[in-house]
């Protein structure tokens, strides 16, 4: 079996560097290039921390990369704006994107879905690649059929750009699919400090915590008469996301459609 030829965007980031390790250590994967905002013309082995990674060129422009390197999959772990441009461009070159960046708008997702439909190519956008986090979302959706009162608390490191997190938004969307709208709390409730009750989506409240020392954590709290149910997932390092990235790469090679959320490809 020929190895899956992979380009990684954002190799020097905390997620990207873990992805480089995962791809390099997976027998049926082959890292063929990386995309970085600098170091054009260098080899990845020239960069600190990657001296053992041989024959992998660095590009600053995705089109130049796509034109010069034969690839099957783009793994993008950058920012929403860059990730959207990379995903769109990769699809134009018949390369399947696997994107772990959160913060995409509905218009962004609709555009990518349309391109995938037209080109009959796979693309996976995943707010969270940790398998435990995906199970947390699925379990929360199951619970929401029986507990209509729910609040989401998501906790991340203080360098995260978007709030609430993509995982929290995706969890809320999955819950709304099985739960009738309900405005929670006292009907005359009043915030004495603006934002005290967090963001609201379909009557649910979502709270974002940002602190140094955190990585990625989420707790979904359900309440009913005389009982509560708490479903929580914690990622303590970026390696926790790599099993999901690996599954996404293997799956996207077999797909000809757009997928939003890792839960949609897990059996």
């Amino acid at each position: 079996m020929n190895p899956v030829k992979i380009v990684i965007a954002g190799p020097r980031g905390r997620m990207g560097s873990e992805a480089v390790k995962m791809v390099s250590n997976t027998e049926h994967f082959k890292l063929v290039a990386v995309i970085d905002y600098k170091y054009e013309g260098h080899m990845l082995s020239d960069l600190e921390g990657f001296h053992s990674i041989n024959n992998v060129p660095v590009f600053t422009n995705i089109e130049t990369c796509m034109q010069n390197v034969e690839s099957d999959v783009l793994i993008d772990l950058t920012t929403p704006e860059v990730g959207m441009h990379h995903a769109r461009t990769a699809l134009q070159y018949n390369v399947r994107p696997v994107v772990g960046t959160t913060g995409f708008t509905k218009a962004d997702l609709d555009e990518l879905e349309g391109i995938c439909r037209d080109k009959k190519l796979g693309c996976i956008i995943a707010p969270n690649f940790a398998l435990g986090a995906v199970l947390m979302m699925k379990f929360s959706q199951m619970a929401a059929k029986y507990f209509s009162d729910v609040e989401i608390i998501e906790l991340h490191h203080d360098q995260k750009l978007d709030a609430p997190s993509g995982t929290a938004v995706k969890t809320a969307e999955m819950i709304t699919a099985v739960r009738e709208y309900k405005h929670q709390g006292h009907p005359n409730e009043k915030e004495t400090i603006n934002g005290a009750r967090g963001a609201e989506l379909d009557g649910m409240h979502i709270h974002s915590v940002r602190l140094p020392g955190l990585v990625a954590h989420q707790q979904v709290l359900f309440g009913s008469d005389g009982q509560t149910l708490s479903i929580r997932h914690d990622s303590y390092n970026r390696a926790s996301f790599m099993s999901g990235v690996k599954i996404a790469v293997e799956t996207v090679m077999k797909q000809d459609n757009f997928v939003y959320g890792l839960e949609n490809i897990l059996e």
Side-chain angles (χ1 to χ4, degrees), residues 8-190:
I8 295 177
R12 292 186 297 115
R14 286 170 289 189
M15 281 280 285
S17 60
E18 289 291 343
V20 169
K21 292 178 190 176
M22 183 274 292
V23 171
S24 300
N25 293 328
T26 302
E27 186 176 356
H28 56 287
F29 289 174
K30 181 179 181 181
L31 183 61
V32 295
V34 298
I35 302 171
D36 193 275
Y37 68 91
K38 57 182 181 179
Y39 299 113
E40 174 75 33
H42 286 72
M43 301 299 288
L44 186 58
S45 56
D46 297 333
L47 279 56
E48 184 177 354
F50 300 104
H51 300 314
S52 63
I53 311 296
N54 298 316
N55 302 316
V56 177
V58 180
F59 294 89
T60 56
N61 182 281
I62 186 172
E63 293 205 24
T64 305
C65 178
M66 296 290 108
Q67 291 166 0
N68 288 275
V69 177
E70 183 180 347
S71 55
D72 302 308
V73 173
L74 167 74
I75 298 175
D76 187 280
L77 302 165
T78 58
T79 65
E81 296 78 11
V82 175
M84 180 62 189
H85 171 63
H86 284 172
R88 184 193 295 117
T89 305
L91 287 167
Q92 297 301 336
Y93 283 89
N94 298 312
V95 174
R96 292 169 162 84
V98 169
V99 183
T101 305
T102 63
F104 285 101
T105 66
K106 186 179 185 303
D108 291 335
L109 299 176
D110 289 344
E111 179 184 345
L112 292 175
E113 184 173 15
I115 298 172
C116 291
R117 185 168 53 246
D118 293 342
K119 296 185 73 69
K120 294 181 170 57
L121 278 176
C123 172
I124 296 175
I125 309 291
N128 199 316
F129 278 114
L131 296 183
V134 175
L135 292 173
M136 175 265 298
M137 290 188 279
K138 291 176 74 73
F139 294 158
S140 297
Q141 186 180 47
M142 293 170 61
K145 295 179 181 179
Y146 308 99
F147 291 81
S148 59
D149 288 86
V150 53
E151 303 217 1
I152 299 171
I153 305 171
E154 56 95 352
L155 309 91
H156 283 79
H157 56 90
D158 61 344
Q159 299 303 302
K160 185 170 178 58
L161 297 177
D162 56 319
S165 69
T167 299
V169 173
K170 180 65 175 177
T171 304
E173 291 172 348
M174 291 173 65
I175 288 172
T176 60
V178 300
R179 166 188 175 274
E180 291 186 7
Y181 173 86
K182 180 179 182 181
H183 182 77
Q184 298 176 186
H186 194 283
N188 297 323
E189 179 181 80
K190 179 181 179 180

